[in-house]
Amino acid sequence: MISFLDDNFSQLNQYIRESEPSLLLLLVDENTHEYCLPTVLANLETTIPFEIIEIEAGEEVKNIATAAQLWEILSEFGTDRNALMINIGGGVITDMGGFVASTYKRGIKFINIPTTLLSMVDASIGGKTGIDHQFYKNIIGTFAMPEKIFAYPKFLQTLPFTELRSGFAEMLKHGLIASAQHWNNLKGIELTPENIEPYVVDSMNIKQQVVEQDFKEQNIRKTLNFGHTIGHAIESLYLQQEAPVPHGEAVAAGMIMEAHLSYSNNLISQDALTEITQAIISIYPNLSIEHFNQDDIYNLMLNDKKNSNGIIKFSIIDNIGHCLYDYEVTKSQIEDALQYYKDAYLP
């Protein structure tokens, strides 16, 4: 499923030769068109016709209007069910490309070439596709596995620091929910592509192993949502204000608050909570939530797709390196966690 590309992209070329698609559809955004697509095209060895489709960059375009535009483009190209979509980009591209591919003519094949750290270690893996709707994150989507994921870690060198930091949050999450050793390897390292690259494969493997056990998110896959229940709510509120924040920054904030939920339920010690909080605030800026109404945050969490019967279900840790899922907490505990986050950045 996951292959690391050499500098000649020989693994990608071999896959295309063996699968013999009728058409290649290369989906990029304006950033990957400039910084990553030239590398892909320079190493692509095929006589199969291909088309390049570019969309704008950013979470704001991950919506039904863009999906409809892409379906129309595929139709204009005369795309048949033997075509192959190649999603070259970050989480928005892999989410959007996977969704469009999995729904066009009831599904065409697609592969992911993640170009951001976030998409390498998280978004490109696991077969979740989706778009946002009415400011709710990924509320429309499908479970559809890519045929392959081709990672090229040298693409990390094209990223601005904020994108590198955003993806690193998911790596920290993998350590907190599944591997204390991974957490210990990551906390405190200087965030550079060279320092992060050796641990990318560990994060990818952690996520892949969880997904293989529970593809449709009935049980253990829910642990991957640690930090996301509150984090997605905050991300959605910023999106409503047309001031989007990087996904990883929202998740980092969510992990602090959901670690506090673990502490308030006597699942982790004060020392563990302090360790997690200090590690995260040393990397991530404060996301001001002072101007958000607590009820708005709570109501967004109520609408999270992981809930049932109107009850918010959290994934929270009971140790560094282990996570529980479907955990119910009280509204007052959530309010305390929000306050804890506000206080964490005070001098």
Side-chain angles (χ1 to χ4, degrees):
M1 172 63 73
I2 300 172
S3 296
F4 282 78
L5 292 168
D6 58 26
D7 288 336
N8 297 318
F9 283 36
S10 57
Q11 300 89 339
L12 172 64
N13 288 317
Q14 180 180 351
Y15 170 77
I16 292 173
R17 279 195 304 272
E18 292 175 352
S19 56
E20 297 182 328
S22 57
L23 174 68
L24 303 178
L25 302 154
L26 281 59
L27 181 66
V28 295
D29 65 22
E30 56 204 276
N31 293 327
T32 52
H33 194 162
E34 179 177 356
Y35 296 108
C36 303
L37 182 62
T39 302
V40 176
L41 292 179
N43 291 287
L44 191 62
E45 298 175 357
T46 184
T47 57
I48 295 169
F50 65 86
E51 300 283 355
I52 297 167
I53 307 171
E54 179 184 337
I55 63 173
E56 293 180 23
E59 185 77 23
E60 310 93 286
V61 303
K62 203 175 82 171
N63 54 44
I64 193 68
T66 306
Q69 182 182 19
L70 291 173
W71 287 320
E72 289 172 12
I73 290 171
L74 265 58
S75 181
E76 289 170 4
F77 287 157
T79 305
D80 62 30
R81 294 180 73 179
N82 292 318
L84 175 69
M85 181 168 279
I86 304 177
N87 301 316
I88 307 168
V92 171
I93 288 291
T94 57
D95 281 0
M96 172 70 73
F99 175 69
V100 168
S102 68
T103 49
Y104 181 78
K105 295 190 174 179
R106 295 194 175 91
I108 63 174
K109 292 180 179 180
F110 66 97
I111 62 175
N112 292 331
I113 303 179
T115 60
T116 67
L117 183 58
L118 180 63
S119 59
M120 283 183 198
V121 302
D122 183 57
S124 69
I125 305 170
K128 276 187 179 180
T129 79
I131 56 175
D132 305 335
H133 187 59
Q134 296 180 333
F135 304 108
Y136 292 111
K137 286 273 296 177
N138 301 321
I139 200 164
I140 299 172
T142 62
F143 284 100
M145 290 293 283
E147 298 295 311
K148 293 280 289 184
I149 300 162
F150 293 102
Y152 188 59
K154 288 184 180 179
F155 280 146
L156 297 179
Q157 297 169 14
T158 69
L159 299 179
F161 178 74
T162 52
E163 286 296 323
L164 198 68
R165 182 173 62 190
S166 179
F168 191 67
E170 294 288 352
M171 296 180 70
L172 291 173
K173 180 199 74 178
H174 291 151
L176 288 172
I177 68 167
S179 170
Q181 182 63 54
H182 192 49
W183 165 261
N184 289 328
N185 288 339
L186 296 176
K187 66 176 184 178
I189 70 170
E190 182 184 357
L191 295 194
T192 66
E194 294 77 17
N195 288 345
I196 293 170
E197 185 176 328
Y199 303 109
V200 167
V201 65
D202 295 333
S203 263
M204 294 182 78
N205 286 336
I206 287 172
K207 175 154 189 186
Q208 183 66 20
Q209 287 164 11
V210 171
V211 169
E212 286 173 351
Q213 295 177 68
D214 177 27
F215 178 49
K216 290 292 184 72
E217 200 172 17
Q218 301 301 304
N219 42 75
I220 193 172
R221 184 169 182 170
K222 295 178 183 180
T223 62
L224 293 168
N225 294 314
F226 176 65
H228 286 63
T229 302
I230 300 179
H232 270 172
I234 292 170
E235 192 176 358
S236 294
L237 287 170
Y238 270 98
L239 200 58
Q240 283 183 25
Q241 294 190 343
E242 298 183 351
V245 296
H247 173 72
E249 291 184 17
V251 169
M255 288 194 292
I256 291 175
M257 289 180 260
E258 293 179 27
H260 188 271
L261 293 178
S262 300
Y263 169 71
S264 64
N265 282 278
N266 300 311
L267 296 173
I268 62 172
S269 67
Q270 176 72 64
D271 287 346
L273 175 61
T274 300
E275 177 185 332
I276 293 165
T277 303
Q278 289 182 346
I280 292 174
I281 67 174
S282 71
I283 302 170
Y284 294 91
N286 179 29
L287 288 184
S288 175
I289 58 175
E290 297 284 349
H291 54 295
F292 294 142
N293 185 296
Q294 284 195 350
D295 285 339
D296 289 341
I297 297 174
Y298 189 78
N299 289 334
L300 278 166
M301 287 190 283
L302 275 174
N303 201 60
D304 192 287
K305 56 191 175 297
K306 299 177 290 294
N307 298 330
S308 59
N309 301 318
I311 298 171
I312 300 175
K313 300 289 184 70
F314 279 89
S315 296
I316 55 178
I317 57 173
D318 60 346
N319 206 346
I320 291 178
H322 191 263
C323 191
L324 307 175
Y325 56 88
D326 287 345
Y327 204 95
E328 297 179 25
V329 305
T330 66
K331 187 175 182 181
S332 65
Q333 286 175 324
I334 295 172
E335 291 169 349
D336 288 345
L338 293 171
Q339 188 61 50
Y340 175 77
Y341 178 76
K342 294 174 187 177
D343 294 342
Y345 282 88
L346 293 176

